[in-house]
Amino acid sequence: EDKEARINEVMKMMGMPAEAILLGWYLTYGLLWIIPAALMTVVCWDSVFQHSNKLLVFIFFWLFGVCVVTLCSFIAVFFSKAKTASVVG
């Protein structure tokens, strides 16, 4: 949706560095992935990862979420429409 509206190009024209835009995306989705990672850790607490360190399990799930965001960013490069990218990715 941002790509179709060309929001990134407008922000770059206004002087915002590309690193700030990328950092904003990663901070937003990094914080949003804390909740699902915590829920998955709690669900797997006594069954799957019974003898594992709970903090490491949480970090594993959180890093998985961050990797999903990175993969989606990579896939979005190849498409100009958001609907097409969501169907493929």
Side-chain angles (χ1 to χ4, degrees):
E1 193 172 298
D2 292 343
K3 193 172 188 179
E4 293 174 14
R6 305 209 187 275
I7 294 173
N8 285 343
E9 284 80 11
V10 173
M11 286 191 284
K12 287 179 188 175
M13 279 190 253
M14 293 169 68
M16 181 175 280
E19 294 83 14
I21 297 169
L22 189 64
L23 182 67
W25 279 104
Y26 276 106
L27 280 175
T28 301
Y29 287 106
L31 291 174
L32 285 176
W33 266 100
I34 288 175
I35 296 168
L39 289 174
M40 287 185 282
T41 304
V42 169
V43 167
C44 299
W45 193 282
D46 289 330
S47 57
V48 180
F49 300 111
Q50 188 174 10
H51 302 293
S52 299
N53 186 350
K54 307 308 181 218
L55 179 64
L56 290 178
V57 173
F58 170 78
I59 290 172
F60 173 77
F61 284 131
W62 182 77
L63 285 175
F64 171 76
V66 173
C67 288
V68 167
V69 172
T70 304
L71 177 67
C72 292
S73 298
F74 175 71
I75 290 174
V77 170
F78 298 108
F79 301 100
S80 58
K81 302 275 184 186
K83 287 186 180 181
T84 309
S86 66
V87 168
V88 173

